[in-house]
Amino acid sequence: KPLAPQLDKKEKRDVFKAFFKDEADAQAALLVVLEMYCGKDNEKALQEFGPVLRVLWERDIVAEEKIYAWHENEFALREFCPKHFSQSNAEAIRESSKEFIQWLQAGED
């Protein structure tokens, strides 16, 4: 199943929002954990991660600057949990997020 619609279900969205909204470190950790999940258990989501970021941003679960920081640091997962890090997965997930990142940055102009 695509990951973004699963995160956007009201009951899950409300839990994520309550826990992560005002917690910058928790937001960063959420992005890394989702990257790890995609690499381990849902490789298809590596290619479809932009919609996940969009849900997290639109629903005020993860702040824009945390999304940018995660996207710019392809070693984020290696820093958090080295045994689950894969360079090719890190590149794939960020490449699939590129269109959303560019759209987000264009909105700032």
Side-chain angles (χ1 to χ4, degrees):
K1 287 183 177 181
L3 186 55
Q6 294 178 60
L7 293 174
D8 203 23
K9 291 182 179 179
K10 182 165 176 30
E11 61 276 3
K12 291 180 182 178
R13 183 177 67 225
D14 292 346
V15 169
F16 278 122
K17 192 171 182 175
F19 186 74
F20 294 104
K21 184 176 181 191
D22 297 320
E23 298 293 330
D25 289 342
Q27 291 176 19
L30 175 62
L31 292 170
V32 171
V33 168
L34 287 172
E35 179 180 355
M36 183 170 63
Y37 165 73
C38 292
K40 286 183 60 186
D41 297 321
N42 191 350
E43 287 196 19
K44 185 176 180 188
L46 289 171
Q47 305 303 321
E48 303 170 348
F49 206 68
V52 171
L53 294 177
R54 187 176 192 124
V55 167
L56 296 173
W57 176 75
E58 284 181 341
R59 303 301 184 202
D60 294 323
I61 296 168
V62 177
E64 189 171 323
E65 55 274 2
K66 288 297 172 189
I67 292 172
Y68 290 145
W70 169 83
H71 191 263
E72 292 170 8
N73 181 8
E74 68 183 33
F75 300 112
L77 179 55
R78 184 175 74 184
E79 294 164 6
F80 178 73
C81 190
K83 79 177 193 174
H84 294 295
F85 176 75
S86 159
Q87 183 65 41
S88 61
N89 285 352
E91 291 171 4
I93 200 167
R94 282 161 183 81
E95 182 62 32
S96 76
S97 304
K98 196 179 202 177
E99 188 176 318
F100 171 72
I101 296 295
Q102 290 170 340
W103 175 85
L104 200 56
Q105 290 171 330
E108 293 178 349
D109 297 337

